[in-house]
Amino acid sequence: MALNRRSFLTFAAGGVAGTLFTPVIWKSIDDSAIWTQNWPWIPRLEYGPRAYAATTCKLCPAGCGLNIRTAGGRPVAAEGRTDHPLSQGGICPLGAAAVQLLYAPARIKGPMQKQADGSHQPISWDEAEALLQEKLAEQKGRKDAVVCVSGDENGTINELFSALLGGLGSDGCFLMPGEQLVASKILREGSIGYDLENADFVLAFGADMLDSWGTAVRNKKAYGAAHPVGEEASAEYVYVGPTQNVTGGAADQWIAITPGMEGVLALGIAYHLLQGGMSAPQAHDFFAYRNFVINRYTPDYVERLTGVAPEQVAELARKLRTANKPLIIPGSTIAQGGGVFSFAAALSLNMLFDNVNSVGGIQVLPDLPKVVEGAKAQAQIRAKDLVAYVQGVADGKVSKPGVYLVYEANPLFALPQPDVAAKAFDGSYLVSFSTFYDETAVQADLLLPTPTFIERFDDVQTPYGSGFASYSLTRPVIRQPIFDTKPTGDVLLGVAKALDIDLGYDSFDKVLEAKVAALSELEGFFTDKVQPWEARAGKVPAAASGNLWRNISRGSFWASIQEPFPTAMQLGSTIISQTAPPDAEDWTFPVSLAAMDSRTYGSRHIAIPPFCLPLLGEQEIQGDVFYVWMNSATARAYGLQAEDKVKLAGPNGSCLAKVRIFEGVGRNMVAAPLGFGHTAWDKFSRNKGDNIYKVLTVRTEPGSNLAVWADSRVRIAKA
Amino acid sequence: MVLYLKEFKIKWGMVIDLDRCTGCGACMVACQAENNIAPPVDASNKRYSMTWLLVYQLSNKQPYPNHDVAYMPRPCLQCGKPNCVPVCPVIATDKNQEGGIVSQVNARCIGCRYCMAACPYHARYFNWQDPVWPEGMEKTLTPDVSTRPRGVVEKCLFCHHRYMYARDKARIEGRDPNALNEGDYIPACVEMCPTGAMVFGDLQNPEHKVHKLSKSPYAFRLLERLNTKPQVYYYSKREWVRKQGDNYLEHETVGGV
């Protein structure tokens, strides 16, 4: 049969019609739709009853209250607790990523021992504890042969470490550096609190209070409450700092200043206040202070050191004077490494306004009672300078300890000049109690992983920056820890017992119970009806009564506004004059380095969590290269343009980065984020950017002998 | 042709105070956890990363020291006249339910991405890669939001499942599910914001805060001149922020104030 055009068309049309009538094609389209959307590796959802468990966050020292949302008993999300004064329903990005961190690939899955080839092999808990006991027994009685580095600023666990070390004949219980160290140089007992909620003018010197300083979420809540949407602000916030960071960007005014010169500006303001006739006759050293400030901190001198125009300084003094309840917050931009000078200078302004233990001012907060026999007082632990110690060991001036115990800290990454720390740690037996496989754990001889705060009992006592003394508990949200981990408190108690050191308890839970029982010594209350700042402003709370442990372990927040002891008023003229910065320019390292900390980049002991990665902007990291920020004038001066590769070199280390032009950075300054450049952890945080801690330079502050590094300087050059 | 232009008695909306947002990103993390978005290993390639809510940094472009910044969280703006809806060939996206939320049916999406091309706000994201949760992390998936495969377009739905829960709760308590009180239904980002910069409610209900705030002279919507009528308002007392948000040209004055 001939195939002519007509019969072809008939055939084709018949074919098309036939296809439409057969179900095969429709079925296969449907199948392919189902198939394309049913990839076996896409997880199916698991259903179950929804519930909430109230707990406290331990990822950074801020101590926020978290509600862990569970579905069928599985934790699925972290939310801020509305009934917790330190979170009030808010949360920070790190806390929001807390639940997913439970399953981060960087988790250490069980105890491990380092092998000759440097790898870690799993061992049983019995073997691990026996090994720890053996190593500690070798050091028993040898003076200062065991050193503890704790990254937990406000947990009772430090008492256990300190008592255990005491039993072994050592006094080396250190905290990772933080503001509490500097504060302890000013206040021998108790700690300093800031009554933000009742202040109407907040002047922060350096302290990045809306992101990485102190009780950050509570600070944000106070800031938010003072700036209601659609209404007039009830308080003004001014930030003095080198970069327009989160606090600088959000504050009502940002005053750019050379890093480390915050104290000079504070005394520059004091100059105007004193000239205007302000006095603090209740302070013993007022006249010494007055003479020192008026003679030295003249407007010209202040301008030369800080780069702030004299009119601006005078204007700040005027604003402070006209405010009803001004509050001045001292601090370092990275909440560490600042000196006593800046701190004391800013603090002295509060005293000129008679702000001590007054509503909306600074508060002296009592330390909560100690419960472990033989432990050092918290104030003593806080006052020990880890960086100076590590430097001493590395230089051979201090004898090298036999064993280092590192708990929830990452000193081999997060101490300034980490190579110095590596030198100090080299050759000693290193035990890591870390939850995650961090840089210190990689080097450790023995890994004794502690569960995350979602899997264990722990506590938070008065976080630094809080305006009131407080106590809250962290409690396990799931029945069993996910991995073969053991709470460090229990490990320490077991080892102490085996070493015949009596710490007085069988389990860490009992230590916490004793701590809660000891709270009844102070006038405390639960914050279910009255908030601490309301109580300070005059509202009367009902004293905490009943079964304290039952309430607190179910999530109640205990607070106290009791004033611990009469503090002799001093403006600190002696310490301020002794620690005053040298009046010299460093031409070898001409550029100021403004390090930046942010909860987006994790915290001192947590690397950037997987869920925080999308927060990093295109101008913060590209692939594995991170950015350092400078303003266009600085970039021009060094022949740099946006996206150019640049090398930052300090006296001890250098790092590579790309240039981001950001006008919120001061003159002749480069801003660089801390928290990048991890070499351990998991694929989410490893090999991203470079570690700025390498470039920070430690110097000793004259007068206080404190190690400081917040004012580091660098050389920059096109790479 | 304008069948999709339905009017709603309830219009859920946000007012975001850009003077109060500190750009911390807690809302972004909260959104990821709430909506089961897989964590990316390399999030620096922004074309391929998935963030239903993105915080942009705005700058007044003045040199130091007169520089100023603002942070702008951008969820899906749930336009009153959405451009994405009429272009979808398979009606995977629509705006038809009371409340005025632009829906997205992941299982029906064929991945043609017309909606992405149509959206002037870049609020829609294409799932380029298989969503991968590290081993065990899939246990943290909430039972509320289905996981999506590669090849579909995703977007913010104002945590629509929370709306459903709030309505169910109202029904159980014998209240009218179409007359929710302020605070009964709040998306995760708004709930977690530590400064309270985001306010959520029914834009049509005078008893809700957003109703009044959206009428403030300081309130504006993104690219208002496109007439997409977003249900997300921004609020700023700073003129340069309003100018940038609405893409005003140098010589133009900002409307309202």
Side-chain angles (χ1 to χ4, degrees):
Chain A
M1 181 182 130
L3 183 67
N4 56 22
R5 182 174 173 273
R6 188 188 175 92
S7 57
F8 171 75
L9 286 178
T10 313
F11 178 77
V16 169
T19 334
L20 291 175
F21 281 112
T22 167
V24 171
I25 186 155
W26 304 111
K27 178 71 181 142
S28 55
I29 288 175
D30 188 36
D31 280 354
S32 65
I34 292 169
W35 181 77
T36 51
Q37 302 203 352
N38 277 288
W39 305 100
W41 53 84
I42 292 163
R44 303 278 114 200
L45 300 182
E46 283 178 48
Y47 299 89
R50 298 151 63 91
Y52 284 93
T55 188
T56 310
C57 183
K58 289 290 276 184
L59 295 179
C60 87
C64 300
L66 291 189
N67 253 336
I68 306 290
R69 195 162 101 208
T70 59
R74 298 170 292 116
V76 295
E79 297 177 3
R81 260 170 70 184
T82 46
D83 60 337
H84 194 290
L86 297 181
S87 55
Q88 301 162 56
I91 199 166
C92 83
L94 183 58
V99 167
Q100 284 71 25
L101 264 180
L102 266 175
Y103 297 97
R107 286 282 312 258
I108 304 174
K109 298 188 170 60
M112 293 206 270
Q113 189 188 7
K114 196 176 191 172
Q115 307 296 310
D117 63 352
S119 68
H120 285 114
Q121 290 302 321
I123 51 173
S124 73
W125 270 106
D126 287 344
E127 289 173 286
E129 282 171 292
L131 206 59
L132 176 63
Q133 181 198 329
E134 181 194 319
K135 292 290 171 190
L136 292 179
E138 283 171 16
Q139 308 298 335
K140 198 173 176 184
R142 286 183 53 205
K143 197 172 173 296
D144 293 340
V146 184
V147 160
C148 158
V149 178
S150 168
D152 182 356
E153 276 178 23
N154 37 35
T156 301
I157 189 99
N158 294 332
E159 289 185 30
L160 281 185
F161 271 113
S162 145
L164 174 68
L165 261 55
L168 292 165
S170 176
D171 149 42
C173 194
F174 293 92
L175 298 181
M176 285 293 277
E179 301 280 23
Q180 83 286 348
L181 169 66
V182 188
S184 74
K185 298 289 171 199
I186 307 225
L187 208 64
R188 303 273 169 211
E189 269 181 279
S191 57
I192 302 176
Y194 305 90
D195 190 13
L196 271 177
E197 287 84 356
N198 291 317
D200 71 345
F201 184 83
V202 178
L203 175 59
F205 283 97
D208 182 16
M209 53 183 288
L210 299 182
D211 192 4
S212 62
W213 177 93
T215 48
V217 172
R218 165 200 165 237
N219 304 345
K220 287 191 194 196
K221 282 284 171 187
Y223 163 82
H227 295 78
V229 184
E231 291 167 44
E232 286 303 313
S234 59
E236 189 174 348
Y237 280 59
V238 177
Y239 179 66
V240 176
T243 57
Q244 204 162 31
N245 54 8
V246 165
T247 311
D252 301 296
Q253 193 187 354
W254 165 57
I255 294 170
I257 187 171
T258 314
M261 290 298 155
E262 290 87 356
V264 176
L265 182 67
L267 294 183
I269 294 171
Y271 174 91
H272 287 285
L273 296 174
L274 294 168
Q275 290 282 20
M278 278 193 83
S279 70
Q282 69 280 33
H284 309 310
D285 58 344
F286 174 69
F287 290 102
Y289 176 83
R290 188 172 192 277
N291 286 340
F292 176 68
V293 171
I294 293 209
N295 288 335
R296 186 158 176 185
Y297 292 89
T298 55
D300 292 348
Y301 178 75
V302 170
E303 185 186 17
R304 185 155 60 79
L305 259 63
T306 60
V308 182
E311 312 81 67
Q312 218 167 8
V313 184
E315 172 66 9
L316 271 177
R318 191 194 62 79
K319 278 188 178 173
L320 277 170
R321 285 188 71 138
T322 49
N324 283 327
K325 293 192 185 308
L327 172 65
I328 298 99
I329 301 182
S332 148
T333 45
I334 41 177
Q336 57 173 309
V340 169
F341 171 75
S342 283
F343 200 95
L347 209 61
S348 71
L349 290 181
N350 281 302
M351 299 183 185
L352 286 182
F353 288 101
D354 198 10
N355 246 352
V356 184
N357 289 342
S358 72
V359 180
I362 57 168
Q363 315 290 331
V364 179
L365 307 177
D367 283 330
L368 305 185
K370 188 166 70 105
V371 293
V372 179
E373 200 63 39
K376 294 253 181 236
Q378 288 170 46
Q380 278 174 296
I381 299 176
R382 278 198 299 265
K384 295 201 67 137
D385 188 347
L386 174 65
V387 176
Y389 172 80
V390 163
Q391 202 125 39
V393 175
D395 294 346
K397 288 180 193 144
V398 181
S399 67
K400 197 170 253 189
V403 177
Y404 281 101
L405 306 176
V406 178
Y407 173 72
E408 300 232 306
N410 192 4
L412 293 183
F413 175 85
L415 282 186
Q417 301 171 221
D419 51 327
V420 173
K423 207 169 146 195
F425 278 57
D426 188 40
S428 302
Y429 195 77
L430 175 56
V431 183
S432 164
F433 293 97
S434 175
T435 308
F436 299 97
Y437 203 57
D438 56 29
E439 283 74 9
T440 310
V442 167
Q443 299 297 327
D445 298 287
L446 187 61
L447 304 179
L448 300 167
T450 194
T452 66
F453 74 94
I454 295 175
E455 305 164 292
R456 68 169 196 242
F457 268 113
D458 207 339
D459 64 348
V460 176
Q461 320 174 50
T462 322
Y464 179 79
S466 163
F468 40 86
S470 70
Y471 189 85
S472 61
L473 275 175
T474 280
R475 59 173 176 152
V477 175
I478 36 184
R479 278 199 204 97
Q480 287 289 324
I482 294 164
F483 299 115
D484 187 15
T485 51
K486 192 169 171 180
T488 300
D490 292 337
V491 176
L492 296 181
L493 287 167
V495 169
K497 200 171 176 190
L499 290 167
D500 284 333
I501 299 169
D502 184 18
L503 299 182
Y505 300 92
D506 294 332
S507 72
F508 190 51
D509 296 5
K510 297 281 175 216
V511 179
L512 296 177
E513 275 179 46
K515 191 89 191 180
V516 169
L519 292 179
S520 51
E521 284 177 26
L522 293 164
E523 293 164 22
F525 55 92
F526 291 124
T527 56
D528 47 351
K529 295 203 177 64
V530 178
Q531 296 301 332
W533 48 91
E534 294 170 341
R536 185 156 274 129
K539 215 164 160 182
V540 183
S545 59
N547 188 333
L548 282 189
W549 172 258
R550 203 182 66 179
N551 286 322
I552 297 178
S553 66
R554 287 180 184 178
S556 289
F557 184 89
W558 180 95
S560 168
I561 55 158
Q562 194 185 346
E563 285 167 23
F565 32 78
T567 29
M569 269 286 293
Q570 281 232 343
L571 285 156
S573 59
T574 323
I575 191 94
I576 291 176
S577 58
Q578 282 174 355
T579 53
D583 184 10
E585 284 283 331
D586 182 356
W587 293 108
T588 337
F589 297 98
V591 182
S592 295
L593 173 64
M596 298 184 292
D597 195 7
S598 168
R599 285 295 153 264
T600 308
Y601 316 141
S603 69
R604 222 67 58 75
H605 70 281
I606 305 282
I608 305 170
F611 266 46
C612 285
L613 283 177
L615 272 55
L616 302 177
E618 271 176 307
Q619 296 264 299
E620 276 171 288
I621 190 154
Q622 273 295 335
D624 56 357
V625 187
F626 79 140
Y627 286 78
V628 291
W629 312 0
M630 58 186 82
N631 72 31
S632 52
T634 313
R636 229 177 1 253
Y638 290 92
L640 294 163
Q641 285 181 331
E643 303 291 327
D644 276 353
K645 277 216 166 159
V646 65
K647 185 179 174 186
L648 306 190
N652 304 292
S654 65
C655 72
L656 279 177
K658 275 187 179 177
V659 174
R660 170 190 185 179
I661 303 292
F662 183 69
E663 297 295 339
V665 179
R667 284 184 197 96
N668 202 31
M669 211 185 282
V670 57
L674 288 172
F676 288 94
H678 282 280
T679 53
W681 294 86
D682 51 32
K683 60 183 174 183
F684 292 98
S685 356
R686 197 191 301 136
N687 296 335
K688 296 193 171 168
D690 212 339
N691 186 0
I692 286 294
Y693 282 104
K694 290 194 298 194
V695 189
L696 296 173
T697 315
V698 179
R699 71 174 172 94
T700 306
E701 186 179 50
S704 69
N705 286 331
L706 199 72
V708 295
W709 56 92
D711 54 356
S712 299
R713 298 175 76 91
V714 290
R715 241 185 341 244
I716 51 177
K718 204 166 176 171
Chain B
M1 187 55 219
V2 284
L3 282 176
Y4 71 96
L5 292 183
K6 196 176 151 185
E7 275 304 318
F8 302 93
K9 278 200 214 87
I10 305 168
K11 271 189 190 167
W12 294 111
M14 278 184 202
V15 177
I16 305 177
D17 185 348
L18 301 186
D19 297 342
R20 195 146 103 141
C21 172
T22 65
C24 73
C27 51
M28 282 176 70
V29 181
C31 171
Q32 279 195 93
E34 182 79 21
N35 293 301
N36 294 337
I37 301 173
V41 175
D42 178 11
S44 70
N45 191 341
K46 296 295 174 195
R47 281 187 185 178
Y48 292 93
S49 60
M50 182 76 69
T51 42
W52 291 7
L53 171 69
L54 191 59
V55 180
Y56 290 90
Q57 189 185 53
L58 309 182
S59 155
N60 69 347
K61 296 183 182 139
Q62 297 290 313
Y64 170 85
N66 299 320
H67 188 246
D68 194 9
V69 284
Y71 295 92
M72 189 184 76
R74 197 268 303 120
C76 169
L77 304 185
Q78 320 293 352
C79 302
K81 296 181 180 177
N83 289 348
C84 52
V85 167
V87 297
C88 179
V90 292
I91 319 177
T93 184
D94 200 3
K95 187 183 176 90
N96 59 6
Q97 197 187 40
E98 200 51 66
I101 297 171
V102 178
S103 66
Q104 172 73 14
V105 184
N106 301 308
R108 192 187 280 171
C109 173
I110 56 169
C112 71
R113 290 174 278 145
Y114 289 1
C115 55
M116 290 175 69
C119 174
Y121 305 109
H122 291 220
R124 289 177 161 266
Y125 293 87
F126 186 64
N127 226 337
W128 287 100
Q129 285 139 347
D130 291 318
V132 180
W133 281 266
E135 193 189 342
M137 209 185 276
E138 77 281 353
K139 294 198 181 79
T140 66
L141 292 173
T142 71
D144 306 324
V145 182
S146 59
T147 48
R148 288 81 52 188
R150 178 179 73 193
V152 304
V153 173
E154 304 182 3
K155 76 169 193 73
C156 154
L157 301 165
F158 271 1
C159 290
H160 187 265
H161 55 281
R162 289 186 172 219
Y163 185 29
M164 294 291 115
Y165 281 122
R167 286 170 65 97
D168 285 351
K169 191 158 176 263
R171 282 192 195 100
I172 291 164
E173 289 168 1
R175 291 184 288 132
D176 179 4
N178 287 325
L180 294 179
N181 295 326
E182 189 165 22
D184 282 352
Y185 158 44
I186 296 179
C189 54
V190 178
E191 192 183 349
M192 308 281 192
C193 176
T195 57
M198 301 166 107
V199 186
F200 189 81
D202 179 3
L203 293 165
Q204 311 266 64
N205 187 341
E207 281 168 30
H208 287 202
K209 226 188 280 171
V210 284
H211 174 79
K212 188 173 154 228
L213 286 173
S214 69
K215 297 193 170 5
S216 155
Y218 298 117
F220 64 96
R221 295 186 282 188
L222 288 190
L223 307 179
E224 192 124 33
R225 58 187 68 192
L226 297 182
N227 204 26
T228 52
K229 306 227 178 295
Q231 277 164 229
V232 173
Y233 286 78
Y234 291 94
Y235 179 100
S236 179
K237 291 191 172 167
R238 290 175 281 184
E239 192 184 16
W240 72 264
V241 174
R242 297 199 299 273
K243 268 189 159 179
Q244 279 191 21
D246 215 354
N247 202 26
Y248 274 83
L249 301 173
E250 294 276 315
H251 61 274
E252 284 179 292
T253 48
V254 177
V257 186

